[in-house]
Amino acid sequence: MNFIQLRNNNLCIENISALKLTKKYQTPFYCYSLAQLKNNFLNFNSIFKNIKPIICFAVKSNSNLTLLRELRKIGSGADVVSIGELLKAIKAGINSKKIVFSGVGKTEEEIKKAIKKRILLINIESESEAILINKLSKNLSKKTSVGIRLNPNINGKTHKKISTGTKGEKFGLLYSDCINLCKKIEKMKNLKLEGLSVHIGSQIKNIKPFKDMLSRLDKVIKRTKINFKFIDLGGGMGISYLNKEKKLNLKKYSQLVQKFVKNKNVKIIFEPGRIIIADTGVLISKILYIKKSGSKKFIILDAGMNDLMRPSLYNVKHQIIPIKKSNKRFNGNIEFVGPICESSDKFLNQRGFSEIKEGDYVSLTHVGAYGMSLSSNYNVRPKVAEVMVTGSSHKLIRKRQSLENLVKD
Ligand code: LLP
């Protein structure tokens, strides 16, 4: 189901036209459809309904408090990677027994907080971390539930900057290190080894890497003979950003996981981010200038790479559509760029577009995941507002950062 679409040539987020929103909110701003968010989460849940997983939404993909609260209301837990994300998940009302904490570089402060909050699992990524968590748990007179993260040495065949499951990466522990550390953790008095976790990367569109991942997990389970209470399969499910682009076959994945859990007494955890939230959000931006350069037209937007990093960071494409489509068309080469002083501040190159002029608005699509959460204040630009639409109403769910605050130190 698509809750963000062109209706009579007007881009609508649920029942509100983007044009109407531009009258209320200063561009650029992120806008989300709550119905789309709920639809995605419930759809994910239903595809995996036979295994009743704990779904820990990857907060790094979008940490807006209102959206986290909405996810909590429909049963989501949280996958966090910092004390900030942990505190936000708790503030959103997410039960600590539905929170998992991943990451290779957890600090003492972060670990202590996670221990005190008695979260579901702290996923350990090194022996030194296990020793530290054990020590801190002892100081706090606690026995802490932990998981261990396997690096299965599997290539997710995704963008190399978001691939995490191969040998050369910093994430998790390679097979034999993982086995050895399992044995050591079992002897640590203040740790309870309950989970085995894995995350091989993001935006994975083929089923094969997931299949291989499950068989590596099986190997670890057989070899260690540990009855892990939880198997945390991470996130990484790939979506389709552009028309007709391949996406992960989630039903197939679900069948594989069903097969995997058969005859095992384990609870599956997922940490999905992108698949839940990417297509719930658009970034609405105004055309500041149109500049001709040779045979090309630069469309200079008020949104820049600091607002949406993905195109310049990973060289990926987000579709751009006019929020009011004209019946006329411009057929030449155009390039959508931002106002930042870097040549990598470009969003999209394409041939032809609906006829547009300075002062019109466009929408960058599928930016709900790793859009706002990756944004920065580069060029001393304020972080933009976030708006949520539900049915025919809209509300501001994060204020645009004030310039006053931004220039104070
Ligand atoms: N679990 C762990 C341990 C992770 O590292 C990640 C993402 C996820 C879950 C969620 O993955 P997802 O379901 O969203 O693929 N900034 C990049 C993506 C970085 C992903 C980092 N880890 C992008 O914009 O594509």
Side-chain angles (χ1 to χ4, degrees):
M1 268 242 256
N2 220 336
F3 292 88
I4 304 181
Q5 54 186 341
L6 278 172
R7 276 198 226 156
N8 301 326
N9 285 342
N10 279 295
L11 179 70
C12 290
I13 297 97
E14 301 191 25
N15 298 330
I16 300 191
S17 77
L19 197 60
K20 184 171 171 192
L21 295 173
T22 60
K23 312 260 187 272
K24 302 260 178 198
Y25 304 101
Q26 185 182 346
T27 58
F29 63 89
Y30 279 91
C31 179
Y32 305 96
S33 154
L34 179 57
Q36 189 73 57
L37 182 65
K38 287 183 177 169
N39 176 78
N40 294 353
F41 184 87
L42 297 173
N43 184 44
F44 187 92
N45 213 354
S46 102
I47 288 179
F48 288 97
K49 67 175 183 294
N50 291 337
I51 51 168
K52 296 194 178 65
I54 302 177
I55 305 175
C56 295
F57 174 70
V59 176
K60 65 174 82 62
S61 63
N62 192 314
S63 57
N64 183 283
L65 197 60
T66 306
L67 300 178
L68 291 179
R69 283 196 176 119
E70 293 295 340
L71 283 167
R72 184 258 299 155
K73 285 188 211 158
I74 49 177
S76 186
D79 156 47
V80 302
V81 291
S82 69
I83 191 165
E85 288 189 359
L86 175 60
L87 293 176
K88 271 201 141 176
I90 291 168
K91 194 166 172 191
I94 294 174
N95 187 318
S96 57
K97 281 293 164 216
K98 278 189 178 177
I99 300 179
V100 293
F101 197 148
S102 322
V104 294
K106 304 176 197 82
T107 64
E108 264 199 46
E109 184 197 14
E110 292 177 319
I111 293 169
K112 274 194 215 150
K113 186 58 96 187
I115 294 171
K116 286 188 196 154
K117 291 289 174 191
R118 297 188 161 280
I119 66 168
L120 182 62
L121 291 175
I122 304 180
N123 286 330
I124 290 174
E125 305 222 10
S126 65
E127 182 170 352
S128 305
E129 188 190 342
I131 294 168
L132 180 62
I133 301 175
N134 188 47
K135 187 182 102 184
L136 297 173
S137 301
K138 189 172 175 210
N139 295 346
L140 293 163
S141 311
K142 294 259 169 31
K143 194 158 170 118
T144 302
S145 300
V146 295
I148 185 162
R149 178 164 173 185
L150 172 73
N151 177 332
N153 193 20
I154 286 166
N155 188 343
K157 301 228 164 53
T158 180
H159 193 286
K160 73 175 190 322
K161 288 192 182 165
I162 52 176
S163 166
T164 52
T166 54
K167 214 168 159 183
E169 307 294 345
K170 66 182 175 184
F171 302 97
L173 292 131
L174 295 174
Y175 179 73
S176 51
D177 299 331
C178 184
I179 306 284
N180 292 335
L181 189 56
C182 280
K183 287 180 197 144
K184 288 184 185 166
I185 293 177
E186 283 202 299
K187 289 191 191 124
M188 295 186 189
K189 292 211 168 64
N190 292 76
L191 299 187
K192 227 180 329 166
L193 182 56
E194 293 194 314
L196 176 61
S197 86
V198 69
H199 171 79
I200 57 174
S202 201
Q203 184 59 356
I204 295 169
K205 293 184 264 183
N206 294 313
I207 196 74
K208 178 81 168 48
F210 287 115
K211 195 171 172 197
D212 295 345
M213 175 186 99
L214 293 171
S215 73
R216 300 286 155 86
L217 289 169
D218 258 333
K219 247 176 98 181
V220 173
I221 296 170
K222 281 199 185 106
R223 178 75 192 277
T224 58
K225 298 194 184 73
I226 296 175
N227 290 321
F228 290 102
K229 205 164 153 189
F230 304 102
I231 303 288
D232 178 347
L233 299 176
M237 301 84 177
I239 64 155
S240 155
Y241 275 96
L242 303 167
N243 290 340
K244 298 197 190 106
E245 192 190 2
K246 179 181 172 170
K247 60 180 177 188
L248 180 71
N249 185 333
L250 213 55
K251 287 212 173 98
K252 259 200 188 139
Y253 189 23
S254 158
Q255 286 158 7
L256 289 178
V257 180
Q258 275 183 57
K259 218 167 122 196
F260 171 81
V261 294
K262 219 171 164 192
N263 304 324
K264 288 191 187 85
N265 189 17
V266 293
K267 189 86 183 157
I268 294 293
I269 298 172
F270 282 115
E271 304 170 354
R274 190 187 315 266
I275 198 167
I276 303 292
I277 207 154
D279 69 352
T280 69
V282 288
L283 176 62
I284 311 279
S285 177
K286 187 172 168 175
I287 298 168
L288 295 176
Y289 302 102
I290 297 181
K291 171 170 153 175
K292 268 196 189 154
S293 175
S295 61
K296 184 155 128 183
K297 263 189 189 175
F298 284 109
I299 315 287
I300 303 170
L301 303 180
D302 63 356
M305 63 187 277
N306 70 303
D307 304 310
L308 178 67
M309 282 280 275
R310 298 195 76 253
S312 45
L313 199 56
Y314 310 117
N315 240 332
V316 293
K317 289 184 179 164
H318 283 265
Q319 209 184 340
I320 299 185
I321 50 176
I323 69 169
K324 195 162 180 48
K325 199 172 159 201
S326 150
N327 288 326
K328 292 191 196 137
R329 215 174 148 74
F330 169 72
N331 285 318
N333 287 328
I334 54 172
E335 186 165 331
F336 289 93
V337 298
I340 306 273
C341 299
E342 293 224 19
S343 45
S344 60
D345 183 30
K346 49 175 107 172
F347 293 116
L348 195 64
N349 238 318
Q350 69 178 43
R351 215 181 149 74
F353 199 74
S354 164
E355 202 164 87
I356 37 175
K357 56 182 188 318
E358 293 176 353
D360 285 349
Y361 298 92
V362 293
S363 156
L364 292 102
T365 65
H366 291 71
V367 294
Y370 309 106
M372 186 65 185
S373 66
L374 263 176
S375 69
S376 80
N377 289 126
Y378 188 43
N379 281 197
V380 195
R381 285 165 53 87
K383 289 205 187 181
V384 304
E386 291 180 289
V387 174
M388 183 176 80
V389 168
T390 168
S392 304
S393 57
H394 55 88
K395 87 174 188 202
L396 184 66
I397 57 171
R398 188 190 326 238
K399 252 176 140 169
R400 180 188 177 81
Q401 234 175 4
S402 76
L403 271 175
E404 201 182 30
N405 253 335
L406 203 56
V407 299
K408 77 177 188 305
D409 42 28

